[in-house]
Amino acid sequence: MKLMYLLPALSSGGVEQVVLELCQGIAGQGEAECVVVSAGGGMVELIESTGARHIRRPLEKKSPFLIKEIWRLAKLLQREAPDIVHVHSRIPAWVAHFALRLLPPGRKPVLVSTFHGFHSVNNYSAIMTHGAAVIAVSRSMREHILTHYPHTPAERIRVIPNSVDTEQNYPGFTPSAEWQQRWQSAFPELAGKFTLCLPGRISRIKGSAHLVPILTELRRRGIPAHAVIVGETKRGKEKIRRELEDAFAAAGLRDHVTWTGHRRDLREVLASCSVTLSLTLQPESFGKTTLEALALGRPVAGYAHGGVAEQLEQFLPEGLIPVGDTAAMAARLAEWHQRPPALSRPVGSPYLRQDMIRAHMALYRELLS
């Protein structure tokens, strides 16, 4: 079996991580041959280290030049002859859609798509429903597809949650002494603080501004709360970063917020912080970082919608907070400062890495049969 994964780029993010994990579990274990097509990025070496091949094509930006990419992808498909083409984003999906039309009827691979996010509902996004199978990464994502794209047959939608590697993320994990020393040296202001980790790229929908009333209330109560914002400020988002910095400064919180930028040691960061937060104003389709924190046995408090709500319902129901209710969030965190909560049960199936790999391979085999 030969699989071809199409995605915009291989920089950082949930989509890229899922494709990497699929390659690790499929190509790395000799289950099938994997070819990844993207505009490239910092994760190319990781992809290739799994035994998968990477082919660089500019699939990350809307552009008139994408017309040329349709012809180039058609030629690539003819040369590589994959059995499955699996698209993970809208631009690659459109390019694949038209490229497949250029192939002879008997030589077309099966098209699979994964809905990784609650995209704007329009004809442009509808391309993600055109696969022979449509993967939803959560029950919430499945309901979104059925509600907004009712032409999609329910039996074509498969819920395959993203996963966590419980061999790397497990209760009781402790960062090495060397890592802790580097962390403390880089961010000495975190010593002795009640640290609130907010992971994710800097954007308005991540709800970073909600940290202002939450921190204000916690510190009013005498709790040494300190926000740790973990994520890169992508080009074009600098204004949002400045707005957030100004809001923290106006509230007298400048010294109670740490910006770490993008981190490749997120496991250690999550394990070291007191609580991980999900403050997204729009529902997360899945919430990979919150699942990793839960797998580490760390408390998570999040707004009760999307995939994060599904996780908390199973593993830490008291972490569910009404969407946008910063007062309720601060009150719950104040309780946890006094008495940290325990998870109702360890993270297990269907969120294990092997669950995700097996489900994908079973779907591929079913489609090819």
Side-chain angles (χ1 to χ4, degrees):
M1 185 189 305
K2 189 172 187 178
L3 311 173
M4 180 177 284
Y5 294 109
L6 271 60
L7 67 161
L10 284 169
S11 50
S12 65
V15 174
E16 295 90 332
Q17 187 64 33
V18 168
V19 171
L20 173 62
E21 291 163 4
L22 288 171
C23 290
Q24 288 171 334
I26 296 175
Q29 299 302 315
E31 294 282 340
E33 182 180 354
C34 294
V35 179
V36 178
V37 181
S38 82
M43 293 177 66
V44 169
E45 289 186 9
L46 288 173
I47 289 288
E48 293 179 336
S49 72
T50 69
R53 287 188 294 124
H54 178 260
I55 298 174
R56 190 180 299 270
R57 298 305 321 151
L59 299 176
E60 81 278 29
K61 294 180 181 179
K62 297 177 185 178
S63 165
F65 295 106
L66 283 175
I67 295 175
K68 293 183 179 179
E69 288 307 313
I70 293 169
W71 291 95
R72 289 169 179 162
L73 181 61
K75 291 180 180 179
L76 180 63
L77 290 170
Q78 287 183 307
R79 184 175 75 244
E80 293 288 339
D83 300 295
I84 299 282
V85 170
H86 191 158
V87 295
H88 289 266
S89 188
R90 290 171 291 178
I91 292 177
W94 276 108
V95 175
H97 172 75
F98 289 112
L100 288 171
R101 289 187 173 188
L102 300 176
L103 300 185
R107 299 184 63 186
K108 293 184 180 181
V110 176
L111 183 66
V112 176
S113 63
T114 294
F115 255 92
H116 285 282
F118 289 97
H119 305 303
S120 54
V121 178
N122 49 38
N123 290 333
Y124 172 59
S125 298
I127 191 64
M128 298 303 293
T129 67
H130 288 196
V134 180
I135 296 173
V137 296
S138 64
R139 297 192 311 273
S140 300
M141 193 76 257
R142 181 180 187 273
E143 292 305 312
H144 173 82
I145 297 169
L146 289 172
T147 299
H148 296 290
Y149 304 98
H151 64 275
T152 310
E155 63 272 15
R156 276 176 38 208
I157 305 173
R158 305 296 179 89
V159 177
I160 303 180
N162 291 340
S163 68
V164 63
D165 185 350
T166 52
E167 293 184 3
Q168 296 294 320
N169 302 273
Y170 54 87
F173 167 78
T174 302
S176 68
E178 293 78 11
W179 183 91
Q180 293 183 53
Q181 185 175 14
R182 292 195 304 271
W183 179 254
Q184 292 163 7
S185 176
F187 307 111
E189 68 273 17
L190 302 183
K193 301 296 176 57
F194 182 57
T195 45
L196 309 176
C197 180
L198 185 66
R201 297 169 181 166
I202 307 305
S203 71
R204 288 192 175 88
I205 65 171
K206 289 296 183 183
S208 306
H210 287 204
L211 285 169
V212 173
I214 292 169
L215 285 172
T216 298
E217 175 59 18
L218 289 173
R219 298 197 67 82
R220 187 191 68 80
R221 296 184 182 212
I223 297 171
H226 192 105
V228 182
I229 300 177
V230 184
E232 64 180 324
T233 305
K234 297 197 76 172
R235 184 177 298 176
K237 301 294 184 180
E238 297 88 352
K239 181 181 178 182
I240 298 173
R241 167 74 178 260
R242 290 194 297 270
E243 289 174 357
L244 289 168
E245 290 175 336
D246 290 344
F248 289 128
L253 297 169
R254 185 195 301 273
D255 296 334
H256 307 302
V257 178
T258 292
W259 307 77
T260 72
H262 175 66
R263 304 283 304 195
R264 291 191 176 276
D265 53 356
L266 186 57
R267 174 184 62 165
E268 285 76 7
V269 176
L270 295 173
S272 299
C273 287
S274 306
V275 180
T276 295
L277 301 181
S278 174
L279 303 177
T280 53
L281 307 181
Q282 298 176 7
E284 294 270 18
S285 58
F286 181 69
K288 190 172 181 66
T289 305
T290 52
L291 184 66
E292 290 173 346
L294 290 166
L296 289 164
R298 305 302 298 155
V300 172
Y303 289 155
H305 57 179
V308 173
E310 293 177 27
Q311 296 169 19
L312 290 172
E313 286 166 1
Q314 295 186 59
F315 305 117
L316 188 58
E318 62 188 284
L320 289 165
I321 304 297
V323 178
D325 193 339
T326 57
M329 179 66 78
R332 183 55 41 84
L333 293 173
E335 294 173 7
W336 287 1
H337 178 253
Q338 295 297 321
R339 186 176 64 258
L343 272 62
S344 57
R345 65 184 181 90
V347 172
S349 292
Y351 295 113
L352 303 180
R353 180 65 43 81
Q354 56 265 36
D355 296 330
M356 185 184 76
I357 303 301
R358 288 172 186 155
H360 277 79
M361 287 301 297
L363 177 59
Y364 297 152
R365 292 189 182 104
E366 176 187 334
L367 293 171
L368 293 178
S369 67

